[in-house]
Amino acid sequence: MRLHVAFTPAEAAESPVAVVVDVMRATSTISQALASGYRRVLCCAEIDDAVAVRDSLDEPAVLGGERNAVLIEGFDAGASPREYLEPRAETLILSTTNGTRSILTAAAHCGEVLLGSLLNLEAVAAAVSRRGQHTTVLCAGFQGAFAIDDAYCAGRIVALLDGDRSDAAKAAEVIARAYPRPIDGIHARTYGPPGLEEDIAWCSQVSVLGVVPRFTRMVGTAAEIALV
C-alpha cells in the first residue's frame, strides 16, 4: 500500500482510495451528523446547487452551510458539528467554502472516497488499512491554498497506517508530530472570523466517533455521503 497526501484540492489525482479531510469543519460535521442519526448528507459545491437539490427532494431536508465560516443567509443551519447532534430530518444538504467542493473533486477522480477527521481518526485509518490499496489523503485547504490544520489531521491518519509513504505523506507526519496536543494542531492555522473557539475544541477530540462516512453516488449535482 502506498500513502500520499495532497495538500490542496488542485493536487488531487486518480487514486483507488481517497480520504478527504476538512477538519474545520466539513468532514468533522458530516461525521458528527451521520453518527447522530442523519441517514445521508448531500454535499454541494455552490449555494444555488444546494437550494436546487433541496427543492428537488420529495422529503424534508435540513439546508446547512457556510461561506468563510459565516452562516449562509436563508439556510437552516451553519457548518458547526454542534448544530447536528439532534437530527431534524433524514437528509442534510451541506455546502461549505472548502470541504464539500473537495469531496466532489475526490468523487470525480478516485475509486472510493472516505471522509476523515480527528473525531473519527482511528475508524477511518482502520477502514483504509482493511482496503490495503494505494490511498491519497486529500486536504481541503482554504480557498485552494494550503491549510496546516488539514495537513496536521492528514499526518495523524498517515501515522496510523503501514505502507510506503510519498514525500508529502512524510511531511504531513512531521507536521503532526510537531503538535502533540490536537487542539494546538488545529490552532496552528490562522482563522478569519472570531467565534470558532467552541468548534475548534469540539473538532480537536480524537476518535470519539466510530463512523466512516463514504461517498455512495451522485444525486443531481450533490455527492451523497452515508454510512455503508
Side-chain angles (χ1 to χ4, degrees):
M1 179 169 67
R2 182 162 177 80
L3 303 170
H4 177 60
V5 172
F7 288 117
T8 67
E11 300 171 43
E14 291 184 6
S15 179
V17 178
V19 179
V20 179
V21 169
D22 183 10
V23 69
M24 282 293 293
R25 295 167 290 178
T27 58
S28 298
T29 295
I30 293 167
S31 297
Q32 184 65 69
L34 292 173
S36 297
Y38 281 90
R39 179 173 61 86
R40 63 177 181 169
V41 180
L42 301 179
C43 295
C44 299
E46 305 297 338
I47 294 171
D48 289 346
D49 292 341
V51 173
V53 168
R54 191 262 323 263
D55 293 344
S56 73
L57 297 180
D58 294 325
E59 61 175 288
V62 174
L63 192 58
E66 53 75 30
R67 285 298 180 271
N68 298 319
V70 177
L71 170 69
I72 298 168
E73 185 177 355
F75 275 34
D76 303 314
S80 168
R82 298 177 295 114
E83 295 179 90
Y84 300 102
L85 300 178
E86 296 291 337
R88 289 186 274 165
E90 288 195 347
T91 296
L92 165 63
I93 302 167
L94 188 68
S95 181
T96 69
T97 306
N98 307 292
T100 55
R101 290 188 172 98
S102 299
I103 292 165
L104 285 158
T105 296
H109 290 90
C110 302
E112 184 175 22
V113 178
L114 311 176
L115 272 56
S117 66
L118 293 175
L119 296 178
N120 69 335
L121 180 68
E122 291 182 4
V124 76
V128 170
S129 182
R130 286 194 300 270
R131 284 154 176 79
Q133 296 178 287
H134 294 341
T135 299
T136 295
V137 183
L138 173 60
C139 300
F142 178 69
Q143 295 184 349
F146 174 86
I148 197 169
D149 54 347
D150 290 341
Y152 167 80
C153 185
R156 292 291 304 266
I157 294 171
V158 170
L160 294 176
L161 297 169
D162 293 325
D164 297 330
R165 284 143 164 77
S166 69
D167 285 354
K170 293 175 183 177
E173 283 193 278
V174 170
I175 292 170
R177 287 196 297 270
Y179 300 98
R181 294 199 316 155
I183 196 165
D184 294 334
I186 295 183
H187 262 306
R189 174 178 164 189
T190 301
Y191 293 97
L196 293 176
E197 291 78 14
E198 290 186 33
D199 278 356
I200 290 172
W202 191 280
C203 294
S204 297
Q205 300 175 91
V206 176
S207 299
V208 294
L209 302 178
V211 301
V212 181
R214 179 176 176 267
F215 168 69
T216 56
R217 61 176 178 146
M218 293 299 296
V219 178
T221 58
E224 181 185 76
I225 306 296
L227 302 180
V228 182

